Amino acid sequence: MDGVVLSQKIDREADKLLAQIARADSMVVAAKAGARAEGFVLGLESARALNEVTVDRLYVIFDTATEERLKALASN
């Protein structure tokens, strides 16, 4: 994940969430996957499992992935 250092378990979950966003077949599914990813990061932030910089980078990674998928779906 673009220079973000995560534990193996968190990295594995983050990769699964990114894959769900990437394979979303409708805008609704993509938005739900993006919301799920945002909730995941919020949980990590609330638990103070990661530092603030890492949390911010994860939000950007998931937001960007969701936006790109929504744009791709809208152009089809």
Side-chain angles (χ1 to χ4, degrees):
M1 294 200 72
D2 298 343
V4 177
V5 179
L6 304 170
S7 71
Q8 276 189 339
K9 184 171 180 147
I10 293 172
D11 188 54
R12 201 169 32 249
E13 291 303 315
D15 285 343
K16 286 179 188 177
L17 290 164
L18 282 172
Q20 288 175 0
I21 293 168
R23 70 174 176 262
D25 58 358
S26 73
M27 293 181 81
V28 170
V29 173
K32 284 183 180 181
R36 193 174 301 114
E38 187 172 330
F40 172 71
V41 179
L42 180 59
L44 293 171
E45 181 179 23
S46 297
R48 298 179 189 206
L50 301 172
N51 65 48
E52 187 177 328
V53 172
T54 303
V55 166
D56 289 343
R57 291 189 72 190
L58 282 177
Y59 276 125
V60 170
I61 290 168
F62 286 126
D63 286 346
T64 301
T66 302
E67 287 175 23
E68 288 177 4
R69 187 62 187 148
L70 289 169
K71 285 179 189 174
L73 290 165
S75 67
N76 287 340

